[in-house]
Amino acid sequence: MDASMPSGRGLEAEYEGLIASQCHSWGIADDVVTIEVRQIGRAPDGRDVYLGMVRLAQWERDSALRLLLGLPLLEAKIRKMVRALWLGEVSHFGGLWLHASEQLNATPAMRELRELLMQLTPPTMPRPGDDGGADEPVSGIPISSLQPLSHAPSTTAGAPLGPATASLEDRKPDSL
């Protein structure tokens, strides 16, 4: 950080570098995300609060899934690093916000993401006695807009994402 800069200037770049290095170490490709850091206010102790905004700019399956599924872990890692560095002494980290680019909407990425979502999560059943909006599950995603779930993913720890081998009918209800 340049000491000639006014207070708070340059910290955005330090946070951006920290977030970018963590994304890189997680195997998230540089051209898949954009990172911006903004000062969002001041804490009661007088230190500035900075927020990291990560935008999923393009679809690359492995990078996108690491970011989408691992966001809470990535944020926790960054918080830990901020506390261990001088940044934690002069500012507060307000967390990561994730935004998917609108450019992804009309691409095969959305179809792939929808298919992965259906493989990873079973369909949501309506609540007992809830007859209003029968086409709306608890999750808020219309059932009619999703394809039926024909296979459930393997629940083996550490197993890679991929086509499932056991159907829902083969599993016990308590294992779902």
Side-chain angles (χ1 to χ4, degrees):
M1 186 170 132
D2 185 356
S4 65
M5 291 184 179
S7 176
R9 299 279 180 196
L11 289 180
E12 292 91 345
E14 294 291 333
Y15 275 104
E16 285 176 15
L18 178 64
I19 295 166
S21 70
Q22 281 304 301
C23 286
H24 182 74
S25 71
W26 276 45
I28 298 170
D30 295 338
D31 59 342
V32 170
V33 296
T34 61
I35 300 166
E36 182 181 348
V37 173
R38 291 187 186 170
Q39 181 205 4
I40 60 167
R42 185 158 288 169
D45 64 5
R47 293 186 283 173
D48 292 333
V49 179
Y50 291 89
L51 177 71
M53 296 182 296
V54 180
R55 183 172 72 98
L56 183 58
Q58 61 179 304
W59 185 260
E60 188 276 309
R61 186 177 192 262
D62 291 342
S63 293
L65 290 177
R66 284 182 181 122
L67 181 61
L68 291 169
L69 295 175
L71 185 64
L73 300 171
L74 180 62
E75 183 175 321
K77 178 67 174 178
I78 292 168
R79 283 185 188 282
K80 183 177 179 181
M81 291 189 73
V82 166
R83 284 191 301 267
L85 297 171
W86 63 271
L87 281 172
E89 296 174 16
V90 298
S91 65
H92 294 285
F93 179 58
L96 290 178
W97 286 16
L98 177 63
H99 167 75
S101 171
E102 275 190 58
Q103 295 172 348
L104 294 177
N105 287 342
T107 66
M110 286 299 154
R111 182 173 52 250
E112 182 179 10
L113 186 56
R114 183 176 290 109
E115 290 169 3
L116 287 168
L117 178 64
M118 291 306 300
Q119 288 176 5
L120 292 171
T121 61
T124 306
M125 300 300 164
R127 294 180 183 145
D130 184 13
D131 58 350
D135 194 34
E136 288 288 326
V138 176
S139 67
I141 301 171
I143 294 172
S144 61
S145 71
L146 300 174
Q147 298 298 319
L149 181 64
S150 60
H151 292 90
S154 169
T155 57
T156 306
L161 292 177
T165 56
S167 70
L168 286 175
E169 295 82 33
D170 297 334
R171 295 179 174 230
K172 296 179 184 175
D174 58 15
S175 68
L176 294 177

